[in-house]
Amino acid sequence: MTASAPRIDSRLVAAIECLDDATVRIAETNRRVGEIAEALGLARPSYEQVRTIVHQTRRLGPRVGPGQVLLEIAFRVRPPTALGDYLVGTLSPEPPRRR
């Protein structure tokens, strides 16, 4: 049987993504996420797990959610085709600039 780490609760993954700041050391993000985990009654994630998620988040860049895309379409910041781009995963996180 192989050993594996437990899955991190999705709330902690979201907290890591929100707390991540490139000007702050990952160790500090790990401490903050650990405090959130304890407040939620969850096990603290390991430093390695937090580090992996931080690096993945930084590599992928900011994510745009479906609500944000729909709001930007409604306010004509993005074209209606942006919803299709979001669904297939090709949407740019930054809306196009107006001239």
PDB file of all heavy atoms in Angstrom, residues 3-4 10-12 30 35-36 39 42 50 54 58-59 66 73 76 79 81 93-94 96:
ATOM      1  N   ALA A   3       1.673   5.263   0.606  1.00  0.00           N
ATOM      2  CA  ALA A   3       1.247   6.326   1.512  1.00  0.00           C
ATOM      3  C   ALA A   3       0.871   7.555   0.690  1.00  0.00           C
ATOM      4  O   ALA A   3       1.497   7.846  -0.328  1.00  0.00           O
ATOM      5  CB  ALA A   3       2.381   6.677   2.468  1.00  0.00           C
ATOM      6  N   SER A   4      -0.166   8.253   1.133  1.00  0.00           N
ATOM      7  CA  SER A   4      -0.546   9.481   0.441  1.00  0.00           C
ATOM      8  C   SER A   4      -1.082  10.479   1.444  1.00  0.00           C
ATOM      9  O   SER A   4      -1.581  10.112   2.505  1.00  0.00           O
ATOM     10  CB  SER A   4      -1.604   9.193  -0.633  1.00  0.00           C
ATOM     11  OG  SER A   4      -2.774   8.709  -0.026  1.00  0.00           O
ATOM     12  N   SER A  10     -11.683  21.989   0.057  1.00  0.00           N
ATOM     13  CA  SER A  10     -11.765  23.026  -0.979  1.00  0.00           C
ATOM     14  C   SER A  10     -11.778  24.430  -0.384  1.00  0.00           C
ATOM     15  O   SER A  10     -11.299  25.383  -1.004  1.00  0.00           O
ATOM     16  CB  SER A  10     -13.010  22.815  -1.846  1.00  0.00           C
ATOM     17  OG  SER A  10     -14.181  22.895  -1.059  1.00  0.00           O
ATOM     18  N   ARG A  11     -12.273  24.576   0.844  1.00  0.00           N
ATOM     19  CA  ARG A  11     -12.258  25.890   1.496  1.00  0.00           C
ATOM     20  C   ARG A  11     -10.836  26.336   1.795  1.00  0.00           C
ATOM     21  O   ARG A  11     -10.517  27.528   1.703  1.00  0.00           O
ATOM     22  CB  ARG A  11     -13.086  25.854   2.779  1.00  0.00           C
ATOM     23  CG  ARG A  11     -14.570  25.620   2.514  1.00  0.00           C
ATOM     24  CD  ARG A  11     -15.330  25.400   3.791  1.00  0.00           C
ATOM     25  NE  ARG A  11     -14.978  24.085   4.343  1.00  0.00           N
ATOM     26  CZ  ARG A  11     -15.460  23.589   5.456  1.00  0.00           C
ATOM     27  NH1 ARG A  11     -16.313  24.294   6.180  1.00  0.00           N
ATOM     28  NH2 ARG A  11     -15.115  22.393   5.881  1.00  0.00           N
ATOM     29  N   LEU A  12      -9.974  25.372   2.115  1.00  0.00           N
ATOM     30  CA  LEU A  12      -8.579  25.724   2.378  1.00  0.00           C
ATOM     31  C   LEU A  12      -7.840  26.050   1.086  1.00  0.00           C
ATOM     32  O   LEU A  12      -6.998  26.948   1.058  1.00  0.00           O
ATOM     33  CB  LEU A  12      -7.877  24.604   3.141  1.00  0.00           C
ATOM     34  CG  LEU A  12      -8.380  24.355   4.556  1.00  0.00           C
ATOM     35  CD1 LEU A  12      -7.591  23.225   5.207  1.00  0.00           C
ATOM     36  CD2 LEU A  12      -8.314  25.614   5.394  1.00  0.00           C
ATOM     37  N   ASN A  30       1.302  29.757   4.722  1.00  0.00           N
ATOM     38  CA  ASN A  30       1.059  28.477   5.380  1.00  0.00           C
ATOM     39  C   ASN A  30       0.569  28.685   6.814  1.00  0.00           C
ATOM     40  O   ASN A  30      -0.371  28.023   7.251  1.00  0.00           O
ATOM     41  CB  ASN A  30       2.336  27.634   5.368  1.00  0.00           C
ATOM     42  CG  ASN A  30       2.132  26.266   5.959  1.00  0.00           C
ATOM     43  OD1 ASN A  30       1.195  25.568   5.604  1.00  0.00           O
ATOM     44  ND2 ASN A  30       3.011  25.890   6.876  1.00  0.00           N
ATOM     45  N   GLU A  35      -4.161  28.619  10.573  1.00  0.00           N
ATOM     46  CA  GLU A  35      -5.090  29.236  11.523  1.00  0.00           C
ATOM     47  C   GLU A  35      -6.532  29.108  11.035  1.00  0.00           C
ATOM     48  O   GLU A  35      -7.448  28.844  11.823  1.00  0.00           O
ATOM     49  CB  GLU A  35      -4.726  30.703  11.730  1.00  0.00           C
ATOM     50  CG  GLU A  35      -3.422  30.903  12.472  1.00  0.00           C
ATOM     51  CD  GLU A  35      -2.976  32.350  12.495  1.00  0.00           C
ATOM     52  OE1 GLU A  35      -3.699  33.233  11.980  1.00  0.00           O
ATOM     53  OE2 GLU A  35      -1.879  32.603  13.040  1.00  0.00           O
ATOM     54  N   ILE A  36      -6.733  29.287   9.737  1.00  0.00           N
ATOM     55  CA  ILE A  36      -8.077  29.143   9.159  1.00  0.00           C
ATOM     56  C   ILE A  36      -8.541  27.698   9.302  1.00  0.00           C
ATOM     57  O   ILE A  36      -9.699  27.439   9.648  1.00  0.00           O
ATOM     58  CB  ILE A  36      -8.094  29.601   7.685  1.00  0.00           C
ATOM     59  CG1 ILE A  36      -7.865  31.111   7.606  1.00  0.00           C
ATOM     60  CG2 ILE A  36      -9.390  29.215   6.994  1.00  0.00           C
ATOM     61  CD1 ILE A  36      -7.627  31.643   6.208  1.00  0.00           C
ATOM     62  N   ALA A  39      -9.659  27.084  12.794  1.00  0.00           N
ATOM     63  CA  ALA A  39     -10.933  27.754  13.059  1.00  0.00           C
ATOM     64  C   ALA A  39     -12.107  26.990  12.451  1.00  0.00           C
ATOM     65  O   ALA A  39     -13.214  27.003  12.988  1.00  0.00           O
ATOM     66  CB  ALA A  39     -10.894  29.180  12.516  1.00  0.00           C
ATOM     67  N   LEU A  42     -10.603  21.821  10.827  1.00  0.00           N
ATOM     68  CA  LEU A  42      -9.963  20.938   9.855  1.00  0.00           C
ATOM     69  C   LEU A  42      -8.499  20.730  10.231  1.00  0.00           C
ATOM     70  O   LEU A  42      -7.918  21.517  10.985  1.00  0.00           O
ATOM     71  CB  LEU A  42     -10.035  21.554   8.450  1.00  0.00           C
ATOM     72  CG  LEU A  42     -11.439  21.856   7.927  1.00  0.00           C
ATOM     73  CD1 LEU A  42     -11.355  22.683   6.650  1.00  0.00           C
ATOM     74  CD2 LEU A  42     -12.194  20.570   7.681  1.00  0.00           C
ATOM     75  N   VAL A  50       0.725  23.314   0.807  1.00  0.00           N
ATOM     76  CA  VAL A  50       0.472  24.743   0.583  1.00  0.00           C
ATOM     77  C   VAL A  50       1.406  25.268  -0.493  1.00  0.00           C
ATOM     78  O   VAL A  50       0.991  25.989  -1.399  1.00  0.00           O
ATOM     79  CB  VAL A  50       0.624  25.541   1.898  1.00  0.00           C
ATOM     80  CG1 VAL A  50       0.546  27.039   1.640  1.00  0.00           C
ATOM     81  CG2 VAL A  50      -0.436  25.115   2.904  1.00  0.00           C
ATOM     82  N   VAL A  54       0.308  27.048  -3.978  1.00  0.00           N
ATOM     83  CA  VAL A  54       0.743  28.426  -4.260  1.00  0.00           C
ATOM     84  C   VAL A  54       1.457  28.488  -5.605  1.00  0.00           C
ATOM     85  O   VAL A  54       1.178  29.358  -6.431  1.00  0.00           O
ATOM     86  CB  VAL A  54       1.639  28.970  -3.128  1.00  0.00           C
ATOM     87  CG1 VAL A  54       2.351  30.242  -3.556  1.00  0.00           C
ATOM     88  CG2 VAL A  54       0.819  29.228  -1.882  1.00  0.00           C
ATOM     89  N   ARG A  58       0.153  30.567  -8.856  1.00  0.00           N
ATOM     90  CA  ARG A  58       0.980  31.608  -9.490  1.00  0.00           C
ATOM     91  C   ARG A  58       1.242  31.282 -10.956  1.00  0.00           C
ATOM     92  O   ARG A  58       1.277  32.172 -11.793  1.00  0.00           O
ATOM     93  CB  ARG A  58       2.290  31.763  -8.734  1.00  0.00           C
ATOM     94  CG  ARG A  58       2.099  32.396  -7.381  1.00  0.00           C
ATOM     95  CD  ARG A  58       3.397  32.532  -6.636  1.00  0.00           C
ATOM     96  NE  ARG A  58       3.182  33.084  -5.304  1.00  0.00           N
ATOM     97  CZ  ARG A  58       4.137  33.249  -4.412  1.00  0.00           C
ATOM     98  NH1 ARG A  58       5.389  32.908  -4.694  1.00  0.00           N
ATOM     99  NH2 ARG A  58       3.864  33.745  -3.226  1.00  0.00           N
ATOM    100  N   ARG A  59       1.418  30.004 -11.258  1.00  0.00           N
ATOM    101  CA  ARG A  59       1.685  29.607 -12.639  1.00  0.00           C
ATOM    102  C   ARG A  59       0.450  29.822 -13.517  1.00  0.00           C
ATOM    103  O   ARG A  59       0.549  30.292 -14.644  1.00  0.00           O
ATOM    104  CB  ARG A  59       2.124  28.144 -12.691  1.00  0.00           C
ATOM    105  CG  ARG A  59       2.537  27.664 -14.067  1.00  0.00           C
ATOM    106  CD  ARG A  59       3.067  26.228 -14.076  1.00  0.00           C
ATOM    107  NE  ARG A  59       2.116  25.260 -13.542  1.00  0.00           N
ATOM    108  CZ  ARG A  59       2.243  24.639 -12.365  1.00  0.00           C
ATOM    109  NH1 ARG A  59       3.275  24.889 -11.583  1.00  0.00           N
ATOM    110  NH2 ARG A  59       1.340  23.771 -11.957  1.00  0.00           N
ATOM    111  N   PRO A  66     -17.455  32.080 -13.381  1.00  0.00           N
ATOM    112  CA  PRO A  66     -18.557  32.260 -14.331  1.00  0.00           C
ATOM    113  C   PRO A  66     -19.401  33.488 -14.018  1.00  0.00           C
ATOM    114  O   PRO A  66     -19.870  34.175 -14.926  1.00  0.00           O
ATOM    115  CB  PRO A  66     -19.372  30.978 -14.204  1.00  0.00           C
ATOM    116  CG  PRO A  66     -18.978  30.400 -12.889  1.00  0.00           C
ATOM    117  CD  PRO A  66     -17.573  30.842 -12.629  1.00  0.00           C
ATOM    118  N   ILE A  73     -20.043  40.491 -19.280  1.00  0.00           N
ATOM    119  CA  ILE A  73     -20.828  40.465 -20.525  1.00  0.00           C
ATOM    120  C   ILE A  73     -22.012  41.420 -20.397  1.00  0.00           C
ATOM    121  O   ILE A  73     -22.307  42.187 -21.305  1.00  0.00           O
ATOM    122  CB  ILE A  73     -21.290  39.028 -20.862  1.00  0.00           C
ATOM    123  CG1 ILE A  73     -20.092  38.160 -21.255  1.00  0.00           C
ATOM    124  CG2 ILE A  73     -22.330  39.043 -21.978  1.00  0.00           C
ATOM    125  CD1 ILE A  73     -20.413  36.678 -21.376  1.00  0.00           C
ATOM    126  N   ARG A  76     -21.068  44.861 -20.834  1.00  0.00           N
ATOM    127  CA  ARG A  76     -20.400  45.025 -22.126  1.00  0.00           C
ATOM    128  C   ARG A  76     -18.892  45.266 -22.013  1.00  0.00           C
ATOM    129  O   ARG A  76     -18.305  45.976 -22.819  1.00  0.00           O
ATOM    130  CB  ARG A  76     -21.064  46.130 -22.940  1.00  0.00           C
ATOM    131  CG  ARG A  76     -22.507  45.817 -23.254  1.00  0.00           C
ATOM    132  CD  ARG A  76     -23.155  46.948 -24.013  1.00  0.00           C
ATOM    133  NE  ARG A  76     -24.573  46.698 -24.160  1.00  0.00           N
ATOM    134  CZ  ARG A  76     -25.133  46.258 -25.260  1.00  0.00           C
ATOM    135  NH1 ARG A  76     -24.397  45.999 -26.308  1.00  0.00           N
ATOM    136  NH2 ARG A  76     -26.431  46.080 -25.316  1.00  0.00           N
ATOM    137  N   PRO A  79     -17.243  40.530 -24.783  1.00  0.00           N
ATOM    138  CA  PRO A  79     -18.254  40.180 -25.787  1.00  0.00           C
ATOM    139  C   PRO A  79     -19.039  38.946 -25.349  1.00  0.00           C
ATOM    140  O   PRO A  79     -18.569  38.170 -24.499  1.00  0.00           O
ATOM    141  CB  PRO A  79     -17.412  39.873 -27.033  1.00  0.00           C
ATOM    142  CG  PRO A  79     -16.092  39.426 -26.499  1.00  0.00           C
ATOM    143  CD  PRO A  79     -15.878  40.234 -25.242  1.00  0.00           C
ATOM    144  N   THR A  81     -19.346  36.190 -26.691  1.00  0.00           N
ATOM    145  CA  THR A  81     -18.588  34.961 -26.960  1.00  0.00           C
ATOM    146  C   THR A  81     -17.661  34.587 -25.809  1.00  0.00           C
ATOM    147  O   THR A  81     -17.126  33.481 -25.771  1.00  0.00           O
ATOM    148  CB  THR A  81     -17.762  35.106 -28.244  1.00  0.00           C
ATOM    149  OG1 THR A  81     -16.894  36.243 -28.100  1.00  0.00           O
ATOM    150  CG2 THR A  81     -18.646  35.290 -29.459  1.00  0.00           C
ATOM    151  N   PRO A  93      -7.808  36.114 -18.442  1.00  0.00           N
ATOM    152  CA  PRO A  93      -8.276  36.655 -17.166  1.00  0.00           C
ATOM    153  C   PRO A  93      -8.532  38.158 -17.220  1.00  0.00           C
ATOM    154  O   PRO A  93      -9.310  38.682 -16.459  1.00  0.00           O
ATOM    155  CB  PRO A  93      -7.169  36.326 -16.182  1.00  0.00           C
ATOM    156  CG  PRO A  93      -6.011  35.876 -16.971  1.00  0.00           C
ATOM    157  CD  PRO A  93      -6.479  35.538 -18.335  1.00  0.00           C
ATOM    158  N   GLU A  94      -7.878  38.839 -18.121  1.00  0.00           N
ATOM    159  CA  GLU A  94      -8.063  40.280 -18.270  1.00  0.00           C
ATOM    160  C   GLU A  94      -9.031  40.567 -19.400  1.00  0.00           C
ATOM    161  O   GLU A  94      -8.869  40.048 -20.505  1.00  0.00           O
ATOM    162  CB  GLU A  94      -6.731  40.960 -18.563  1.00  0.00           C
ATOM    163  CG  GLU A  94      -5.741  40.862 -17.428  1.00  0.00           C
ATOM    164  CD  GLU A  94      -6.215  41.599 -16.181  1.00  0.00           C
ATOM    165  OE1 GLU A  94      -6.784  42.703 -16.307  1.00  0.00           O
ATOM    166  OE2 GLU A  94      -6.008  41.055 -15.094  1.00  0.00           O
ATOM    167  N   PRO A  96     -10.686  42.606 -22.546  1.00  0.00           N
ATOM    168  CA  PRO A  96     -10.018  43.400 -23.574  1.00  0.00           C
ATOM    169  C   PRO A  96     -10.100  44.881 -23.234  1.00  0.00           C
ATOM    170  O   PRO A  96     -11.072  45.353 -22.656  1.00  0.00           O
ATOM    171  CB  PRO A  96     -10.802  43.076 -24.848  1.00  0.00           C
ATOM    172  CG  PRO A  96     -12.050  42.419 -24.410  1.00  0.00           C
ATOM    173  CD  PRO A  96     -11.840  41.902 -23.039  1.00  0.00           C
TER     174      PRO A  96
END
